[in-house]
Amino acid sequence: MDNSYMALLNVLSYPDPRLHKIAKPVATVDARVKKIVADMAETMYEAPGVGLAATQVDIHERIVVIDVSDDQNELMVFINPEIVWASPEKKTWREGCLSVPEFYDEVERPAQVKVKALDIDGKEFEVDADGLLAVCLQHELDHLQGKVFVEYLSLLKRNRISQKMKKRSKELLGQR
């Protein structure tokens, strides 16, 4: 992939209402979609993060990039991903999000999932995931449904995070 064409994308911050838009399926995996994937991957690595959904960069299509490897050199691309199976067993993980920087909290989710998606070449594949990959997939697929992880938290915590995020964005605007 030619990196000279890649660009960092702007990550939306909670409580931006655009984070609640539901993503539409990708019709064809073409050069436009591959460019989005490359830009999303660069944005995720730069952040640094382990996953990014197109919704977070104000692109409302079903595209997710994930890399849970220690060296951040195993990019996984999921186009039109869907969870086809989730384990009845649950597990709680401490989650964070590029759209909610510096906030982490416990979220309970199925411990394992099976996800069906298209890869960067438009070929269908399935992945059985557990551990961090399972959490990450569920977290990013939530974004495609317009849901941010803080929505699993109590209303009190959510409001507090929302207040702090609004205050932070005002401060950032003031610095410009």
Side-chain angles (χ1 to χ4, degrees):
M1 207 180 315
D2 182 0
N3 292 352
S4 62
Y5 296 110
M6 296 194 336
L8 286 177
L9 303 168
N10 185 32
V11 178
L12 299 176
S13 288
Y14 183 80
D16 191 309
R18 293 171 291 180
L19 287 168
H20 299 293
K21 278 188 178 174
I22 293 177
K24 293 176 174 50
V26 171
T28 27
V29 180
D30 54 16
R32 181 190 68 84
V33 171
K34 289 179 182 185
K35 166 99 173 92
I36 292 169
V37 167
D39 292 346
M40 283 176 59
E42 188 187 15
T43 304
M44 174 187 74
Y45 287 129
E46 185 69 26
V50 293
L52 187 67
T55 304
Q56 293 175 271
V57 291
D58 204 18
I59 296 169
H60 302 282
E61 296 183 63
R62 296 187 61 80
I63 304 170
V64 165
V65 293
I66 290 177
D67 188 340
V68 292
S69 68
D70 290 338
D71 299 328
Q72 293 247 291
N73 60 359
E74 294 171 29
L75 181 68
M76 300 174 83
V77 176
F78 298 85
I79 297 167
N80 296 338
E82 53 183 295
I83 294 172
V84 291
W85 176 83
S87 68
E89 179 203 345
K90 305 266 192 239
K91 193 163 181 171
T92 301
W93 283 77
R94 192 168 159 79
E95 292 187 29
C97 179
L98 296 179
S99 292
V100 197
E102 294 169 36
F103 289 96
Y104 299 88
D105 215 314
E106 307 287 319
V107 178
E108 186 185 59
R109 299 182 183 273
Q112 297 169 295
V113 290
K114 181 190 286 261
V115 172
K116 182 174 80 174
L118 301 177
D119 67 15
I120 191 73
D121 297 313
K123 293 189 178 44
E124 192 174 289
F125 72 100
E126 276 190 0
V127 63
D128 289 302
D130 60 13
L132 181 57
L133 181 58
V135 173
C136 204
L137 278 163
Q138 294 173 80
H139 176 113
E140 301 310 335
L141 268 64
D142 274 354
H143 277 302
L144 299 180
Q145 298 301 333
K147 187 169 185 175
V148 181
F149 92 99
V150 295
E151 290 167 51
Y152 288 98
L153 310 178
S154 70
L155 190 58
L156 184 71
K157 275 187 180 173
R158 230 179 16 235
N159 287 339
R160 207 169 55 224
I161 291 170
S162 183
Q163 241 66 75
K164 286 181 179 169
M165 291 296 296
K166 284 176 184 164
K167 185 176 176 226
R168 174 191 280 149
S169 67
K170 278 194 186 105
E171 287 166 358
L172 289 173
L173 286 172
Q175 289 172 359
R176 285 194 182 149

